[in-house]
Amino acid sequence: MKIANLTRSFFIFIFIIFISIILFLALLPTSEPKMLTDLDIPSFDSRCVQGVDSMSSYLDNQGSLSVSTWNIYKQKRQGWEQQLANLNHASQLVLLQEAGLSPELRQYIRHAQLKVSMAQAFTLLDTSYGVMNLSHTEVKSACAFMATEPLIRVEKSGILAYYPLSSGEELLVVNLHGINFEWTLTHYSRQFEALALELEKHQGPIILAGDFNTWRAQRLNLVSEFAKRFNLSAISYRVDERQRVFGLPLDHLYYRGLAFLGAESLATESSDHNPITAHFRLR
């Protein structure tokens, strides 16, 4: 009887310690969202950055525009570099989630002569992780957004960026990694609502893409309603190998103000997600 009481007391003590740790982490202040756009200055200094305002370089290629989005899984799997090279070859803009700014990824970006915009989510072992935009065209301006997983307190980041188009318009691009570990929609909804003001102000074309973690019907409905609110359309797929959980796709690309030509999501072994590539023409 005494041993049973001691065992019960021990488990109660462990439970109290566990709850205390969770509450402590929940009350920790989160860091401010920060951007990086220059690998030669490897620091995340400001929430928003201004690029070079040049009219000689446009994101599209004579009116054609292809955009890819891919959760690169922190470059944990073999073959990520070749897969990323394929996406950059096929697209004028590549949007990455779970990108780790490792020496290998830095080397790839420099060798490919790409422009980078990265919103830092967190740092682990001196490597920054977050969402990243890659293109051959300098971003006109970009701002970082951040949301905190309500349970595990890991940060998820997003980028809201503007790119020049040959039509004279600016393309607003949102690259977002959605909150995952939440059954309700409270924090998940707030993450999208943080983007609403910029989307409301912008009169030109828009791309909204990323790993939205829509593993539940209510999540997918929220994203769909958010897209409809800003007249964004979901793309259709020639081949659709997007990663699914409970039968629902996690990755998405929505658009507005562009002529949609086609899209595909092809299987790869280089990540736990398969990339999306969508093709457009300027209107």
Side-chain angles (χ1 to χ4, degrees):
M1 188 70 173
K2 188 174 182 180
I3 293 177
N5 288 335
L6 285 174
T7 302
R8 189 181 303 111
S9 298
F10 173 76
F11 281 110
I12 290 173
F13 174 75
I14 293 298
F15 178 76
I16 292 173
I17 293 296
F18 175 76
I19 294 298
S20 298
I21 291 173
I22 293 296
L23 290 174
F24 173 75
L25 292 175
L27 293 173
L28 282 177
T30 57
S31 56
E32 291 295 320
K34 298 289 181 64
M35 289 288 305
L36 177 145
T37 55
D38 189 346
L39 293 182
D40 293 326
I41 310 174
S43 61
F44 293 80
D45 294 327
S46 304
R47 178 174 177 263
C48 295
V49 296
Q50 291 293 130
V52 177
D53 192 6
S54 172
M55 297 305 293
S56 61
S57 178
Y58 303 108
L59 184 63
D60 60 285
N61 180 16
Q62 297 181 336
S64 295
L65 176 65
S66 294
V67 179
S68 294
T69 180
W70 186 33
N71 183 321
I72 198 171
Y73 194 45
K74 304 179 182 69
Q75 301 101 257
K76 287 183 178 180
R77 293 189 179 176
Q78 295 293 322
W80 66 264
E81 188 170 351
Q82 183 58 55
Q83 179 64 61
L84 184 54
N86 294 341
L87 295 177
N88 278 298
H89 179 73
S91 311
Q92 284 79 47
L93 177 65
V94 174
L95 310 175
L96 300 177
Q97 302 84 46
E98 289 194 34
L101 195 56
S102 62
E104 293 79 12
L105 183 54
R106 288 177 185 270
Q107 181 179 1
Y108 169 82
I109 294 170
R110 292 182 192 277
H111 180 74
Q113 298 181 320
L114 295 170
K115 306 296 183 183
V116 59
S117 299
M118 182 175 183
Q120 179 178 255
F122 61 90
T123 301
L124 181 63
L125 300 177
D126 296 325
T127 299
S128 295
Y129 294 90
V131 299
M132 176 184 290
N133 296 5
L134 295 174
S135 67
H136 287 285
T137 302
E138 189 85 36
V139 68
K140 289 197 71 173
S141 63
C143 289
F145 287 80
M146 187 177 291
T148 305
E149 291 277 2
L151 179 61
I152 61 174
R153 307 305 293 173
V154 172
E155 306 286 359
K156 293 288 176 62
S157 60
I159 296 176
L160 194 150
Y162 291 88
Y163 291 90
L165 299 175
S166 61
S167 62
E169 296 179 295
E170 289 185 3
L171 176 67
L172 171 57
V173 177
V174 177
N175 178 4
L176 187 67
H177 191 191
I179 283 175
N180 195 12
F181 300 102
E182 180 189 34
W183 183 252
T184 67
L185 299 177
T186 303
H187 295 81
Y188 192 70
S189 175
R190 288 176 188 166
Q191 189 180 20
F192 282 88
E193 286 302 318
L195 307 167
L197 181 61
E198 288 294 326
L199 294 180
E200 286 171 354
K201 291 191 304 183
H202 188 64
Q203 300 301 310
I206 296 175
I207 294 287
L208 169 66
D211 172 7
F212 295 163
N213 278 312
T214 45
W215 45 263
R216 188 170 172 235
Q218 289 85 342
R219 285 170 166 254
L220 187 56
N221 291 339
L222 184 149
V223 174
S224 298
E225 289 302 315
F226 183 84
K228 289 178 184 177
R229 181 170 147 196
F230 300 103
N231 298 315
L232 302 174
S233 300
I235 60 175
S236 56
Y237 295 85
R238 177 182 61 84
V239 178
D240 188 356
E241 296 291 342
R242 288 178 293 170
Q243 176 68 22
R244 283 170 166 78
V245 173
F246 305 127
L248 298 174
L250 303 181
D251 306 286
H252 302 273
L253 193 152
Y254 294 87
Y255 71 98
R256 185 185 83 186
L258 300 165
F260 176 65
L261 301 179
E264 61 275 343
S265 175
L266 304 178
T268 180
E269 297 296 324
S270 304
S271 172
D272 61 346
H273 287 246
N274 295 322
I276 296 169
T277 300
H279 312 282
F280 305 93
R281 281 202 65 83
L282 304 190
R283 288 181 172 175

